[in-house]
Amino acid sequence: MATNPSPRTGGRIRNDEAHEAVLDATTALLESGGYGALTIEGVARRSGVAKSTIYRWWKTKGDLVMEAYTRTTAHRVPSPDTGTLTGDLTALLHDLYAIAHHPARAKALRGLMAEAQLDPAFAEPFRAWIETRREVLAEVYGRAAARGELAGDLDLAHATDLVYGPFWYRLLVGHAPLDPADAPAHAARIRTALTAREA
């Protein structure tokens, strides 16, 4: 009969390992069952970290889930630095649209968005996660402005929405596909929209 791993306690290295184990378990459970089905008890069982430790490190389930997904998405959709605005947008969009190949991830994202609309307490950590993804584009646009590819007074919020707006709309509504092969064309159109006033 299989037994659960012993709870991990004590020591800086063990604490770091336990922290990573909890985040890994949280992402896995989120993408296999959704936010509603995820429990701290389930995370404790899967990670081998004591439930009391998890509660001590994270105030709420929402805080835990969004920290886990912040780390996960930073790995899956890293900040690109190809040397050109078009190259950066293409790389970012390609990684974003790759969710089409992972239905469980797409379902998890839809569930998180829905939960954020229904639960005001969850909305705060969700929006904090969204802000980390917007900051990636702020870095991209900042480098492009420094290279002279974009105007220094760019409307950063609108420019960011040009990328993430279509992504979320297609993910949630499903009226059009999210295809990584479309990334170069979409990136070119976004760049044209951002630089049109300078023509």
Side-chain angles (χ1 to χ4, degrees):
M1 177 174 160
T3 59
N4 292 328
S6 299
R8 309 174 190 203
T9 59
R12 173 74 183 182
I13 292 177
R14 285 198 172 193
N15 279 344
D16 289 345
E17 290 175 350
H19 189 273
E20 294 299 305
V22 171
L23 297 181
D24 286 343
T26 300
T27 295
L29 291 171
L30 176 69
E31 294 184 342
S32 64
Y35 182 84
L38 187 148
T39 65
I40 299 299
E41 290 79 4
V43 172
R45 283 194 300 272
R46 188 179 183 101
S47 65
V49 176
K51 184 172 67 172
S52 59
T53 299
I54 297 173
Y55 277 118
R56 187 170 69 249
W57 288 347
W58 289 276
K59 292 187 298 183
T60 68
K61 183 176 86 167
D63 290 332
L64 168 58
V65 167
M66 294 325 302
E67 181 177 332
Y69 233 50
T70 296
R71 187 192 67 158
T72 296
T73 51
H75 173 72
R76 292 175 180 170
V77 188
S79 180
D81 190 2
T82 66
T84 69
L85 175 60
T86 301
D88 285 352
L89 289 173
T90 298
L92 183 64
L93 288 169
H94 180 277
D95 289 345
L96 273 177
Y97 293 177
I99 198 169
H101 300 315
H102 304 278
R105 296 178 187 176
K107 183 178 179 180
L109 274 184
R110 293 188 193 101
L112 291 175
M113 176 63 86
E115 190 69 25
Q117 311 315 303
L118 299 172
D119 182 356
F122 179 71
E124 183 177 347
F126 179 80
R127 288 186 187 126
W129 168 69
I130 288 288
E131 191 57 34
T132 67
R133 305 316 302 160
R134 294 178 69 84
E135 287 170 0
V136 169
L137 266 175
E139 294 173 1
V140 167
Y141 291 143
R143 288 192 298 267
R147 291 190 298 261
E149 293 184 86
L150 290 174
D153 61 348
L154 176 73
D155 183 339
L156 191 58
H158 177 69
T160 301
D161 289 346
L162 288 176
V163 172
Y164 288 124
F167 167 76
W168 278 104
Y169 192 42
R170 291 185 178 208
L171 181 69
L172 295 173
V173 178
H175 66 291
L178 287 167
D179 187 346
D182 292 333
H186 290 186
R189 284 197 287 271
I190 291 169
R191 189 188 190 285
T192 297
L194 293 176
T195 58
R197 66 175 182 164
E198 301 172 18

